[in-house]
Amino acid sequence: MLLHTVRFLCSVVAAFARLVRELRKAMATAACSPSPVAVLTAPAAVSPIGLIASTPLPKRRKTLAQFAVPENLLVAPPPPPAVVLPAKVSTSGDDDVSGVGMVEQQQEARQSLTKTKAAWAARRRPSRLVIPVADDAGEVAAGWAAAAAAPAKETDVEVEGDGFWVASRAGPRHAMEDAYAVVTDKNDADSQLAFYGVFDGHGGRAAVDFVSERLSKNVVSAVVAAAGTEARREASSEEDAVSAAIKAAYLATDSELLTQHQDASGGACAATAVVKGGDLYVAHLGDCRAVLSRGGAAAALTADHTCAREEERARIERQGGYVCRSGSGVWRVQGSLAVSRAFGDGALKQWVVAEPAVTRVPLVAGCEFLVMASDGLWDKVSNQEAVDVVSGSRATACRELVDMARCRGSRDDVTVMVVDLHRFVRED
């Protein structure tokens, strides 16, 4: 930087010295040449170009310097009319300049100065910012509220049977993977034997289709067989024969699924209810849930099989597996599956077992109805809210619960079943 400054100062000094020398030469020449008045009063036959060209070299340079940068050019007045002069080139030296060339230089200088001033003016005045105004509809469409505000899809399934009601609707994310099953007419003349089930598949429909068809048959057959004396003796003291039969039916169904669908990678959760001899047996795998209404109060008969439960996490780790938390905050088996028990899931079967939890409830006065549903409902609706809705009207309760879950933002499949328990209550 210092070197450039020194060079610049030297060039300024040299230019100033040259200017002084030229001024001295011009003054000496003016003393010997005719006065300006004499030049202007010269004969009319001499052209302006001849006058300029016949001026000695030092005088010409001084005159051109006056024309090159006129003082009034700084205010950029409108350009005067162009003067067209005859083209004649002087032969009195090497630095020949014509009148036409001077006019063109002036015009170019004015145009350049005008462009420069316009550019600086544009830089001082920033361009206007155009900010679009978003309406409420655009804001709603950009978030989760769009799912709740959008009109609900037509209910895929809505059934009213003998003492039960079902409503099911597919979520917008994928094909329907929920199912249900009811068996009341194949009970070997035992009018108090009935089976109800809700199933939630994952990874495709293969597993949920198989389980919804086979589990009901296996459970009913196992429960009927368990009525024998030999089966009762084989049951442990901690559980009765029916509970043991239900567990065996669950495990047998899982074994059949893995054998017949070895290529299937998906699985299924389930919540089932069996009514036998005045008792209610509720079994489940995964996060399907069953809630009993007893005098208008909600009582959960199942506890979700998820990796967040300490006992489930300890069981998986004892079997050599691990549980980790995903980016969304959900605990998963081997970083993959959110439920710790399910049908199928052959690749994870060492840790994701199919042994259900079974709860036995005596059906006494005050047992009103049972609500079973997939996690698409329970993720958005509490147990007591579900009981309150069903208490209002059995016929429309399932559809109302499905609509409630969807309006609250559920994007999963939703299946709800309500079972009236009044006809099964013991008359003591």
Side-chain angles (χ1 to χ4, degrees):
M1 185 66 182
L2 181 60
L3 180 59
H4 289 298
T5 304
V6 173
R7 290 180 177 176
F8 175 74
L9 293 176
C10 293
S11 61
V12 171
V13 171
F16 183 75
R18 286 196 299 270
L19 180 59
V20 171
R21 289 196 300 270
E22 294 296 335
L23 289 175
R24 290 177 178 176
K25 292 180 181 179
M27 293 174 63
T29 305
C32 301
S33 59
S35 64
V37 177
V39 173
L40 293 177
T41 57
V46 181
S47 69
I49 297 180
L51 290 174
I52 297 174
S54 61
T55 306
L57 180 60
K59 186 62 175 284
R60 290 205 314 271
R61 288 182 177 176
K62 183 177 179 180
T63 305
L64 291 179
Q66 294 174 356
F67 281 99
V69 187
E71 295 180 358
N72 57 2
L73 193 61
L74 297 177
V75 296
V83 179
V84 180
L85 301 176
K88 180 178 179 181
V89 180
S90 173
T91 57
S92 61
D94 297 332
D95 298 330
D96 300 326
V97 179
S98 66
V100 176
M102 288 193 343
V103 173
E104 292 177 351
Q105 289 179 3
Q106 293 179 11
Q107 292 178 350
E108 291 177 359
R110 292 192 184 97
Q111 293 176 0
S112 177
L113 183 59
T114 302
K115 292 180 180 179
T116 302
K117 293 177 65 176
W120 277 101
R123 291 181 62 181
R124 289 194 300 269
R125 184 179 66 251
S127 59
R128 181 184 178 187
L129 296 179
V130 180
I131 303 176
V133 179
D135 55 5
D136 294 339
E139 294 177 357
V140 171
W144 274 93
K153 295 168 57 178
E154 184 179 356
T155 303
D156 298 323
V157 175
E158 190 171 345
V159 177
E160 181 177 357
D162 184 13
F164 71 92
W165 297 264
V166 178
S168 183
R169 183 178 300 164
R173 297 183 301 180
H174 49 65
M176 182 64 168
E177 293 180 345
D178 282 4
Y180 75 98
V182 176
V183 176
T184 58
D185 56 350
K186 296 181 181 180
N187 49 28
D188 293 339
D190 187 351
S191 60
Q192 293 297 307
L193 177 61
F195 174 91
Y196 306 92
V198 170
F199 311 97
D200 182 3
H202 51 264
R205 287 203 57 92
V208 72
D209 287 342
F210 183 88
V211 171
S212 61
E213 179 184 357
R214 291 295 303 166
L215 182 63
S216 58
K217 299 178 181 178
N218 290 342
V219 168
V220 170
S221 299
V223 169
V224 170
T229 304
E230 182 177 356
R232 291 182 181 276
R233 286 198 302 264
E234 292 178 355
S236 66
S237 59
E238 297 181 357
E239 59 182 1
D240 64 327
V242 176
S243 297
I246 293 174
K247 286 186 178 181
Y250 266 68
L251 294 173
T253 303
D254 183 58
S255 179
E256 293 174 4
L257 171 63
L258 296 176
T259 301
Q260 299 183 26
H261 295 272
Q262 298 179 359
D263 297 335
S265 59
C269 302
T272 63
V274 174
V275 179
K276 171 67 176 175
D279 290 328
L280 175 67
Y281 297 86
V282 173
H284 83 290
L285 290 177
D287 51 10
C288 290
R289 190 182 306 172
V291 177
L292 174 67
S293 174
R294 186 183 285 115
L301 302 182
T302 61
D304 297 349
H305 290 138
T306 64
C307 303
R309 291 177 56 180
E310 185 61 33
E311 59 270 25
E312 288 296 288
R313 188 185 315 175
R315 175 185 62 79
I316 294 171
E317 292 175 351
R318 284 196 305 269
Q319 295 173 349
Y322 68 90
V323 174
C324 64
R325 206 167 195 171
S326 64
S328 59
V330 179
W331 290 96
R332 299 180 182 275
V333 181
Q334 305 295 106
S336 176
L337 191 62
V339 294
S340 57
R341 301 195 184 198
F343 292 105
D345 295 306
L348 302 173
K349 189 76 316 182
Q350 181 179 353
W351 310 283
V352 183
V353 298
E355 181 179 358
V358 182
T359 302
R360 178 185 178 183
V361 179
L363 292 176
V364 296
C367 294
E368 299 172 321
F369 54 84
L370 183 70
V371 181
M372 292 189 297
S374 60
D375 65 322
L377 174 73
W378 303 119
D379 288 344
K380 301 298 180 180
V381 179
S382 68
N383 297 345
Q384 189 60 52
E385 284 180 322
V387 168
D388 293 342
V389 171
V390 178
S391 298
S393 174
R394 306 278 201 281
T396 61
C398 292
R399 182 176 68 253
E400 291 178 9
L401 288 174
V402 171
D403 292 340
M404 182 183 295
R406 182 68 75 243
C407 289
R408 292 182 178 181
S410 176
R411 299 178 63 81
D412 198 359
D413 304 331
V414 182
T415 299
V416 182
M417 178 184 290
V418 174
V419 180
D420 190 353
L421 299 176
H422 282 112
R423 61 174 179 162
F424 299 115
V425 173
R426 294 176 180 177
E427 298 293 341
D428 295 337

